[in-house]
Amino acid sequence: MSQPVAEWVARLEAALAAPAQADWGVLFAGECYWRDLLALTWNIITLEGREAIAAMAREQAPVIGATGFAADDAALPMTDETQGWFTFRTATARCRGHVQLRDGRAHILLTAMVELIGHEQIGGPRRPDGIEHRAEKGRRTWRDRREETARTLGNSVQPYCLIVGGGQNGLMLAARLKRLGVPALVIDALERPGDAWRSRYRSLYLHDPVFLDHFPYLPFPDHWPLYTSRDQIADWLEVYAKAMEIDFWGGTRCTAARHDEKTGVWTVTVTRGGETLTLRPNQLVLATGLSGAKHVPAIPGAGSFKGQQYHSGDHDTAAGMAGKRCIVIGSNNSAHDICVDLWEHDAEVTMLQRSPTIVVRADTMRELSKNIYYAQPGADIDLADLMFAANPFRPRTVSEKGFTDYLRQLDADFYQRLQDSGFNLWHGEDQTGFFMAYYRRAAGYYIDVGGSELIAGGQIQVRQGEVAEIVGDGLRLADGSFLPADVIVYATGYRSMSEWVGELISPEVQRKVGPCWGLGSGTAGDAGPWEGELRNMWKPTAQQGLWFQGGNLMQCRFHSLHVALQIKARMEGLPTPVYRGPAGSA
Amino acid sequence: MSQPVAEWVARLEAALAAPAQADWGVLFAGECYWRDLLALTWNIITLEGREAIAAMAREQAPVIGATGFAADDAALPMTDETQGWFTFRTATARCRGHVQLRDGRAHILLTAMVELIGHEQIGGPRRPDGIEHRAEKGRRTWRDRREETARTLGNSVQPYCLIVGGGQNGLMLAARLKRLGVPALVIDALERPGDAWRSRYRSLYLHDPVFLDHFPYLPFPDHWPLYTSRDQIADWLEVYAKAMEIDFWGGTRCTAARHDEKTGVWTVTVTRGGETLTLRPNQLVLATGLSGAKHVPAIPGAGSFKGQQYHSGDHDTAAGMAGKRCIVIGSNNSAHDICVDLWEHDAEVTMLQRSPTIVVRADTMRELSKNIYYAQPGADIDLADLMFAANPFRPRTVSEKGFTDYLRQLDADFYQRLQDSGFNLWHGEDQTGFFMAYYRRAAGYYIDVGGSELIAGGQIQVRQGEVAEIVGDGLRLADGSFLPADVIVYATGYRSMSEWVGELISPEVQRKVGPCWGLGSGTAGDAGPWEGELRNMWKPTAQQGLWFQGGNLMQCRFHSLHVALQIKARMEGLPTPVYRGPAGSA
């Protein structure tokens, strides 16, 4: 730790010891951000500006008791004269921090809870013995215990936590909870872990490189390709659930959930193998992903269509589509991937684009990602995730604008050809590109893995417009033009998590909790006010005992720790004073 | 690398460049050992003494072409003034070495092949891309390829290598071969990977701590207990086979194998699902473990016994044995574990000991193993295996005698009580204890996990002697005494791999290949001449294309690399001049 950083951290410790007397203007630069992941706030929150920081510190520091600030290992990345890592503890937890200084004052501060004191996860130096080297009557084996849990959990023994959704989100969280000794049950409507992936289209590959995608505790074997295919990740979910000893009920559908505010217990109705069962967890985690039920727009005349029509989520393979006139409605990732699949199987493909779309080239992203810390051999993934977290969303919006400008220069020829083909390209309404579109509404972009070249070359036709009507043999657009069709694929997205909350729990809870995801950027699809974090994700919601666990593999790995720590703390009855912003704020 | 080590390595390089002119007496101490794992000899061999070393070097150095000797990372363990690590290459491979000096001359030298040049395994920096970011007709997914392999391998496409036995030995080797691009098929008589473990007794735990037991490429999750139970390791085999994409045929029995010396191809008959199939691999690996078929001694009158009698391999659980008089014949690991299980289930237990038995306390071993390199967080397992390999068996015999003396002092009270109970304890005919017994005959010992305390306390009775006769209600011993019995468990071991070679291939091949395992120490069960390595294990046998892959998890992990490299080299047609000892030797 450099001298300036060490001095700054000492000053922070002093300020937190007496927050009412502290001079926050000496500690923080004029433009400043403090992003806290549970450590001070038991929330995921970014405080912007000195006033917000001072307000939080005055309220939280006395109850949280942050002490013992010390330099973290000096050999870490992101360590120089102006920035560095440190550790500290609160009354309940061990934490890490990172600070970035400007002229000796903090521009960005990250604080993050790492583990609960006295409730650490098992593993590594805290692994159990497994067996006493002593004969003992009534001794039970690992299998005896696993079988008993399988028999009792959800039946005679209630899980403390019920996780609805057994994809990567649910399984990673369950793995974390298992290590923390929290009885958790994962339920999924499909039979086997991975089935949600298996039910997607056959040609699906992850668009993120493998080094971003590792699961906690059990990294992928390193023979895995840089880009992982649908079935490989599906099989991994099965492997993972087994290796991490996750309690999983397949073929189980969650139909209703009610919370009793007095007892703090949920009553959750599920159907399993034709039976209806009631589960009574204290914590309910919705981990069905950002995408819930398929969304198909109501288009007049759709019922009269004589060909095949289906949602993109039901597309398996384009085998057998040769020569057919296929219209794919939509222009995001799935729409492109399905268009490519159709073209590869000799269909006549038209993409119907209804709104402008952000495109980034996977090859470019790949080249640019080669040098990031995640990609380095021996990278510490937990540290990498923290490094990545030390980027609050407001300054990130600015840097993403710069990054997008850079990409536009780098791939100028590509973008020109794509536009010339009639594709409605943009880079977001404020030119902040693909990453911000992901955080704001998890839609609106295509990571190009070959589709754009086919569009530029005319192998995939693109048409602009909305469908006015569907008739027996095609679609009529709002401009009056007609598209003959044998097949219509609705790549029209999914309904929101929030809608599902309304159906599963109640419209009141849906309203109370509000939308999930989005930053409140005030751009289309992400109404304000500015929140500065992803709404309701991985943090306390307005509904006691209700949590949302979602996002891409990186987020899901990183934030599953935070959800698990919050749930464990509540199970153990630790004080968890949640800071939701200055009194009177939203 | 220290100056003395660097100078020595430079002298070694010069000597290998002109072996006929080299002065081996300057390079090697009077007592010296060169253990080579494929690097110079394409064999696993320890050369003892300067003459043997000089003879090997004269024959092999000119054809192997070892060059480019350089210091290995200086921060490695086992590096000081008198010892150090280095790397070098041969015409075909990259290698590592370790030397231990005495007065500037080598006392112990280890050389080990690491990878074949131009035929490196995939993984890490050599991971495949998985997908081209380009649309392409006829493109195949990961699943398409896996399905095609499942359909064709062993049918229309012959595996280059057939591995008989799908336990840890077969699977680890298959994982290595997969990374080297060698088409390999694993067959096992049981249905699922892990079934061999599942068919053992329910209370079985690994007697080695978990940090010794990791599989290549996919370490156990670190929440695993220090001692792993039968079912956990069984499930891991399933997980591993899936994660490593191993081609596995369960329920497949190998009934005969013939080698065609002209074509170099095996004709192997297997039965699978009632069908008889013929496989034609170039390489045949027997990985059924040291223990093949169950061995039950022929005892007069056994057929007349009215109670239950079965081999230890058929023991599942002692549940239901309460009050029964149970005689366990044998006194090694399984016998003890089953006695404990019977006692825990309230049976009346007598162990019938037929010969003296080595006992070491698991708790003691555990304490002593805490500080070894394998147990350290972040230990490099491949390096740990190499460190362990830098102990040739002859000096090891001496150090094991010392270690055994140390254990006898440390646990003197325990040993005294055990002997006082009537148990026939020893520490091996030359007092070299448990490790040497393992290497010499893989039998004769008990790692005490609680049984000895029951014997010392009289809860398990011990009787000495051989069974003369079995009658309807008990056993008569050679000394005339009678043991009434409701249950007889034959913990009498397994038949040898060599016997199975005789049945599967031919008595001629059995004779030609000779015994497997054992060092040739000239002690009981391990007849000479001294071989200095485990006979026929993981190295070329007298039968072209026949390999033995076996041993405990550590050995199986480490040496599966060597088997895989040898097989890959042969598949690629690389020169593999095997050195079998000085001309005229055995």
Side-chain angles (χ1 to χ4, degrees), chain A residues 207-224:
Chain A
H207 289 174
D208 280 335
V210 67
F211 48 75
L212 297 178
D213 303 331
H214 289 293
F215 284 40
Y217 312 122
L218 195 69
F220 306 131
D222 75 354
H223 73 274
W224 275 36

PDB file of all heavy atoms in Angstrom, chain A residues 207-224:
ATOM      1  N   HIS A 207     -21.913 -15.993 -25.289  1.00  0.00           N
ATOM      2  CA  HIS A 207     -21.280 -14.879 -25.983  1.00  0.00           C
ATOM      3  C   HIS A 207     -20.151 -14.256 -25.161  1.00  0.00           C
ATOM      4  O   HIS A 207     -19.418 -13.417 -25.646  1.00  0.00           O
ATOM      5  CB  HIS A 207     -22.331 -13.833 -26.369  1.00  0.00           C
ATOM      6  CG  HIS A 207     -23.232 -14.300 -27.474  1.00  0.00           C
ATOM      7  ND1 HIS A 207     -24.320 -13.601 -27.914  1.00  0.00           N
ATOM      8  CD2 HIS A 207     -23.207 -15.421 -28.230  1.00  0.00           C
ATOM      9  CE1 HIS A 207     -24.922 -14.264 -28.892  1.00  0.00           C
ATOM     10  NE2 HIS A 207     -24.274 -15.363 -29.099  1.00  0.00           N
ATOM     11  N   ASP A 208     -20.050 -14.662 -23.911  1.00  0.00           N
ATOM     12  CA  ASP A 208     -18.922 -14.229 -23.080  1.00  0.00           C
ATOM     13  C   ASP A 208     -17.836 -15.310 -23.100  1.00  0.00           C
ATOM     14  O   ASP A 208     -18.165 -16.494 -23.074  1.00  0.00           O
ATOM     15  CB  ASP A 208     -19.371 -14.025 -21.620  1.00  0.00           C
ATOM     16  CG  ASP A 208     -20.071 -12.692 -21.418  1.00  0.00           C
ATOM     17  OD1 ASP A 208     -19.809 -11.764 -22.200  1.00  0.00           O
ATOM     18  OD2 ASP A 208     -20.877 -12.591 -20.487  1.00  0.00           O
ATOM     19  N   PRO A 209     -16.581 -14.899 -23.088  1.00  0.00           N
ATOM     20  CA  PRO A 209     -15.522 -15.914 -23.057  1.00  0.00           C
ATOM     21  C   PRO A 209     -15.496 -16.659 -21.731  1.00  0.00           C
ATOM     22  O   PRO A 209     -15.951 -16.149 -20.702  1.00  0.00           O
ATOM     23  CB  PRO A 209     -14.236 -15.101 -23.259  1.00  0.00           C
ATOM     24  CG  PRO A 209     -14.593 -13.694 -22.934  1.00  0.00           C
ATOM     25  CD  PRO A 209     -16.063 -13.536 -23.175  1.00  0.00           C
ATOM     26  N   VAL A 210     -14.980 -17.849 -21.780  1.00  0.00           N
ATOM     27  CA  VAL A 210     -15.090 -18.806 -20.672  1.00  0.00           C
ATOM     28  C   VAL A 210     -14.525 -18.273 -19.367  1.00  0.00           C
ATOM     29  O   VAL A 210     -15.031 -18.565 -18.292  1.00  0.00           O
ATOM     30  CB  VAL A 210     -14.424 -20.142 -21.086  1.00  0.00           C
ATOM     31  CG1 VAL A 210     -12.920 -19.982 -21.242  1.00  0.00           C
ATOM     32  CG2 VAL A 210     -14.766 -21.268 -20.135  1.00  0.00           C
ATOM     33  N   PHE A 211     -13.484 -17.446 -19.444  1.00  0.00           N
ATOM     34  CA  PHE A 211     -12.852 -17.015 -18.194  1.00  0.00           C
ATOM     35  C   PHE A 211     -13.729 -16.061 -17.382  1.00  0.00           C
ATOM     36  O   PHE A 211     -13.455 -15.814 -16.214  1.00  0.00           O
ATOM     37  CB  PHE A 211     -11.461 -16.415 -18.454  1.00  0.00           C
ATOM     38  CG  PHE A 211     -11.399 -15.405 -19.556  1.00  0.00           C
ATOM     39  CD1 PHE A 211     -11.888 -14.126 -19.376  1.00  0.00           C
ATOM     40  CD2 PHE A 211     -10.843 -15.740 -20.791  1.00  0.00           C
ATOM     41  CE1 PHE A 211     -11.835 -13.198 -20.391  1.00  0.00           C
ATOM     42  CE2 PHE A 211     -10.781 -14.813 -21.817  1.00  0.00           C
ATOM     43  CZ  PHE A 211     -11.284 -13.536 -21.619  1.00  0.00           C
ATOM     44  N   LEU A 212     -14.775 -15.542 -18.006  1.00  0.00           N
ATOM     45  CA  LEU A 212     -15.724 -14.716 -17.248  1.00  0.00           C
ATOM     46  C   LEU A 212     -16.815 -15.544 -16.583  1.00  0.00           C
ATOM     47  O   LEU A 212     -17.564 -15.026 -15.761  1.00  0.00           O
ATOM     48  CB  LEU A 212     -16.392 -13.695 -18.182  1.00  0.00           C
ATOM     49  CG  LEU A 212     -15.488 -12.657 -18.844  1.00  0.00           C
ATOM     50  CD1 LEU A 212     -16.299 -11.767 -19.770  1.00  0.00           C
ATOM     51  CD2 LEU A 212     -14.770 -11.819 -17.802  1.00  0.00           C
ATOM     52  N   ASP A 213     -16.918 -16.807 -16.956  1.00  0.00           N
ATOM     53  CA  ASP A 213     -18.138 -17.558 -16.687  1.00  0.00           C
ATOM     54  C   ASP A 213     -18.051 -18.582 -15.563  1.00  0.00           C
ATOM     55  O   ASP A 213     -19.034 -19.259 -15.266  1.00  0.00           O
ATOM     56  CB  ASP A 213     -18.583 -18.292 -17.963  1.00  0.00           C
ATOM     57  CG  ASP A 213     -18.780 -17.325 -19.128  1.00  0.00           C
ATOM     58  OD1 ASP A 213     -19.119 -16.161 -18.860  1.00  0.00           O
ATOM     59  OD2 ASP A 213     -18.583 -17.730 -20.280  1.00  0.00           O
ATOM     60  N   HIS A 214     -16.875 -18.700 -14.938  1.00  0.00           N
ATOM     61  CA  HIS A 214     -16.696 -19.732 -13.920  1.00  0.00           C
ATOM     62  C   HIS A 214     -17.745 -19.671 -12.813  1.00  0.00           C
ATOM     63  O   HIS A 214     -18.213 -18.607 -12.456  1.00  0.00           O
ATOM     64  CB  HIS A 214     -15.316 -19.604 -13.279  1.00  0.00           C
ATOM     65  CG  HIS A 214     -14.208 -20.004 -14.191  1.00  0.00           C
ATOM     66  ND1 HIS A 214     -14.037 -21.292 -14.616  1.00  0.00           N
ATOM     67  CD2 HIS A 214     -13.211 -19.284 -14.767  1.00  0.00           C
ATOM     68  CE1 HIS A 214     -12.979 -21.341 -15.414  1.00  0.00           C
ATOM     69  NE2 HIS A 214     -12.472 -20.140 -15.530  1.00  0.00           N
ATOM     70  N   PHE A 215     -18.058 -20.848 -12.315  1.00  0.00           N
ATOM     71  CA  PHE A 215     -18.947 -20.958 -11.160  1.00  0.00           C
ATOM     72  C   PHE A 215     -18.112 -20.870  -9.874  1.00  0.00           C
ATOM     73  O   PHE A 215     -16.939 -21.173  -9.888  1.00  0.00           O
ATOM     74  CB  PHE A 215     -19.675 -22.306 -11.204  1.00  0.00           C
ATOM     75  CG  PHE A 215     -20.800 -22.378 -12.203  1.00  0.00           C
ATOM     76  CD1 PHE A 215     -20.699 -21.797 -13.457  1.00  0.00           C
ATOM     77  CD2 PHE A 215     -21.975 -23.053 -11.894  1.00  0.00           C
ATOM     78  CE1 PHE A 215     -21.737 -21.879 -14.379  1.00  0.00           C
ATOM     79  CE2 PHE A 215     -23.017 -23.146 -12.809  1.00  0.00           C
ATOM     80  CZ  PHE A 215     -22.900 -22.560 -14.048  1.00  0.00           C
ATOM     81  N   PRO A 216     -18.728 -20.484  -8.756  1.00  0.00           N
ATOM     82  CA  PRO A 216     -17.958 -20.458  -7.506  1.00  0.00           C
ATOM     83  C   PRO A 216     -17.496 -21.869  -7.112  1.00  0.00           C
ATOM     84  O   PRO A 216     -18.207 -22.835  -7.351  1.00  0.00           O
ATOM     85  CB  PRO A 216     -18.969 -19.963  -6.457  1.00  0.00           C
ATOM     86  CG  PRO A 216     -20.131 -19.433  -7.207  1.00  0.00           C
ATOM     87  CD  PRO A 216     -20.131 -20.087  -8.546  1.00  0.00           C
ATOM     88  N   TYR A 217     -16.325 -21.946  -6.549  1.00  0.00           N
ATOM     89  CA  TYR A 217     -15.785 -23.154  -5.912  1.00  0.00           C
ATOM     90  C   TYR A 217     -15.306 -24.227  -6.886  1.00  0.00           C
ATOM     91  O   TYR A 217     -14.443 -25.023  -6.534  1.00  0.00           O
ATOM     92  CB  TYR A 217     -16.792 -23.831  -4.963  1.00  0.00           C
ATOM     93  CG  TYR A 217     -17.477 -22.907  -4.000  1.00  0.00           C
ATOM     94  CD1 TYR A 217     -18.864 -22.794  -3.970  1.00  0.00           C
ATOM     95  CD2 TYR A 217     -16.743 -22.113  -3.116  1.00  0.00           C
ATOM     96  CE1 TYR A 217     -19.503 -21.944  -3.074  1.00  0.00           C
ATOM     97  CE2 TYR A 217     -17.369 -21.253  -2.218  1.00  0.00           C
ATOM     98  CZ  TYR A 217     -18.760 -21.174  -2.208  1.00  0.00           C
ATOM     99  OH  TYR A 217     -19.392 -20.336  -1.334  1.00  0.00           O
ATOM    100  N   LEU A 218     -15.891 -24.303  -8.074  1.00  0.00           N
ATOM    101  CA  LEU A 218     -15.553 -25.402  -8.988  1.00  0.00           C
ATOM    102  C   LEU A 218     -15.377 -24.819 -10.393  1.00  0.00           C
ATOM    103  O   LEU A 218     -16.307 -24.832 -11.192  1.00  0.00           O
ATOM    104  CB  LEU A 218     -16.681 -26.447  -8.982  1.00  0.00           C
ATOM    105  CG  LEU A 218     -16.386 -27.808  -9.585  1.00  0.00           C
ATOM    106  CD1 LEU A 218     -15.396 -28.590  -8.740  1.00  0.00           C
ATOM    107  CD2 LEU A 218     -17.663 -28.629  -9.754  1.00  0.00           C
ATOM    108  N   PRO A 219     -14.201 -24.278 -10.668  1.00  0.00           N
ATOM    109  CA  PRO A 219     -13.996 -23.674 -11.996  1.00  0.00           C
ATOM    110  C   PRO A 219     -14.129 -24.731 -13.096  1.00  0.00           C
ATOM    111  O   PRO A 219     -13.883 -25.912 -12.857  1.00  0.00           O
ATOM    112  CB  PRO A 219     -12.550 -23.157 -11.934  1.00  0.00           C
ATOM    113  CG  PRO A 219     -12.118 -23.252 -10.517  1.00  0.00           C
ATOM    114  CD  PRO A 219     -12.999 -24.245  -9.834  1.00  0.00           C
ATOM    115  N   PHE A 220     -14.533 -24.296 -14.261  1.00  0.00           N
ATOM    116  CA  PHE A 220     -14.609 -25.211 -15.405  1.00  0.00           C
ATOM    117  C   PHE A 220     -13.227 -25.836 -15.644  1.00  0.00           C
ATOM    118  O   PHE A 220     -12.210 -25.173 -15.465  1.00  0.00           O
ATOM    119  CB  PHE A 220     -14.975 -24.462 -16.689  1.00  0.00           C
ATOM    120  CG  PHE A 220     -16.219 -23.644 -16.608  1.00  0.00           C
ATOM    121  CD1 PHE A 220     -16.225 -22.330 -17.033  1.00  0.00           C
ATOM    122  CD2 PHE A 220     -17.402 -24.178 -16.125  1.00  0.00           C
ATOM    123  CE1 PHE A 220     -17.370 -21.556 -16.988  1.00  0.00           C
ATOM    124  CE2 PHE A 220     -18.559 -23.407 -16.075  1.00  0.00           C
ATOM    125  CZ  PHE A 220     -18.541 -22.092 -16.506  1.00  0.00           C
ATOM    126  N   PRO A 221     -13.193 -27.079 -16.114  1.00  0.00           N
ATOM    127  CA  PRO A 221     -11.904 -27.656 -16.521  1.00  0.00           C
ATOM    128  C   PRO A 221     -11.316 -26.792 -17.639  1.00  0.00           C
ATOM    129  O   PRO A 221     -12.058 -26.252 -18.458  1.00  0.00           O
ATOM    130  CB  PRO A 221     -12.285 -29.037 -17.062  1.00  0.00           C
ATOM    131  CG  PRO A 221     -13.695 -29.291 -16.687  1.00  0.00           C
ATOM    132  CD  PRO A 221     -14.339 -27.994 -16.346  1.00  0.00           C
ATOM    133  N   ASP A 222      -9.996 -26.702 -17.668  1.00  0.00           N
ATOM    134  CA  ASP A 222      -9.414 -25.723 -18.586  1.00  0.00           C
ATOM    135  C   ASP A 222      -9.248 -26.233 -20.013  1.00  0.00           C
ATOM    136  O   ASP A 222      -8.663 -25.547 -20.841  1.00  0.00           O
ATOM    137  CB  ASP A 222      -8.126 -25.117 -18.021  1.00  0.00           C
ATOM    138  CG  ASP A 222      -6.962 -26.064 -18.103  1.00  0.00           C
ATOM    139  OD1 ASP A 222      -7.161 -27.228 -18.493  1.00  0.00           O
ATOM    140  OD2 ASP A 222      -5.839 -25.636 -17.796  1.00  0.00           O
ATOM    141  N   HIS A 223      -9.795 -27.422 -20.317  1.00  0.00           N
ATOM    142  CA  HIS A 223      -9.848 -27.826 -21.730  1.00  0.00           C
ATOM    143  C   HIS A 223     -11.076 -27.220 -22.410  1.00  0.00           C
ATOM    144  O   HIS A 223     -11.241 -27.342 -23.613  1.00  0.00           O
ATOM    145  CB  HIS A 223      -9.882 -29.353 -21.863  1.00  0.00           C
ATOM    146  CG  HIS A 223     -11.193 -29.976 -21.488  1.00  0.00           C
ATOM    147  ND1 HIS A 223     -11.519 -30.311 -20.198  1.00  0.00           N
ATOM    148  CD2 HIS A 223     -12.275 -30.309 -22.225  1.00  0.00           C
ATOM    149  CE1 HIS A 223     -12.735 -30.832 -20.155  1.00  0.00           C
ATOM    150  NE2 HIS A 223     -13.227 -30.835 -21.364  1.00  0.00           N
ATOM    151  N   TRP A 224     -11.937 -26.598 -21.625  1.00  0.00           N
ATOM    152  CA  TRP A 224     -13.142 -26.010 -22.215  1.00  0.00           C
ATOM    153  C   TRP A 224     -12.776 -24.964 -23.236  1.00  0.00           C
ATOM    154  O   TRP A 224     -11.816 -24.212 -23.061  1.00  0.00           O
ATOM    155  CB  TRP A 224     -13.999 -25.370 -21.129  1.00  0.00           C
ATOM    156  CG  TRP A 224     -14.898 -26.335 -20.463  1.00  0.00           C
ATOM    157  CD1 TRP A 224     -14.628 -27.641 -20.177  1.00  0.00           C
ATOM    158  CD2 TRP A 224     -16.208 -26.071 -19.984  1.00  0.00           C
ATOM    159  NE1 TRP A 224     -15.704 -28.194 -19.546  1.00  0.00           N
ATOM    160  CE2 TRP A 224     -16.681 -27.265 -19.409  1.00  0.00           C
ATOM    161  CE3 TRP A 224     -17.030 -24.951 -19.974  1.00  0.00           C
ATOM    162  CZ2 TRP A 224     -17.948 -27.367 -18.840  1.00  0.00           C
ATOM    163  CZ3 TRP A 224     -18.288 -25.052 -19.401  1.00  0.00           C
ATOM    164  CH2 TRP A 224     -18.742 -26.247 -18.848  1.00  0.00           C
TER     165      TRP A 224
END
